[in-house]
Amino acid sequence: AQKVVNGLPHVVELIPHMGQLSELLCLLLAITLVVPLMMRLKTSPIIGFLLIGLVLGPSGLGVMNNTNLAHRMADLGIVFFLFETGLELTIKKVL
């Protein structure tokens, strides 16, 4: 049964993955706030990422309840991390 509001289909029914989108946007907002804070504290942003995961995850505030989305984002983060590491790596450092 489709949810109808004021004679129109409800927005959540039109966009089936709206929950995932809001979780993703919340995660991106948290990252944009935490990374500059970690840089200001002169520590690694990775510590901030771990703290974000603890706070927003199912064990914390429960904002990120979709563990499948969290795993996909983590895999994407690993790919970007390895890519950045490869960009900074030179032959001289390897040898």
Side-chain angles (χ1 to χ4, degrees), residues 21-75:
L21 181 63
S22 64
E23 288 180 7
L24 182 62
L25 290 175
C26 185
L27 181 65
L28 291 175
L29 176 66
I31 289 171
T32 58
L33 295 175
V34 167
V35 170
L37 177 67
M38 290 294 125
M39 295 300 228
R40 191 170 191 167
L41 294 173
K42 295 182 179 156
T43 186
S44 174
I46 294 174
I47 294 172
F49 298 152
L50 293 173
L51 290 174
I52 289 171
L54 287 171
V55 172
L56 297 181
S59 301
L61 297 175
V63 175
M64 292 284 296
N65 287 323
N66 187 348
T67 55
N68 188 26
L69 176 65
H71 287 204
R72 284 188 277 154
M73 292 300 298
D75 290 341

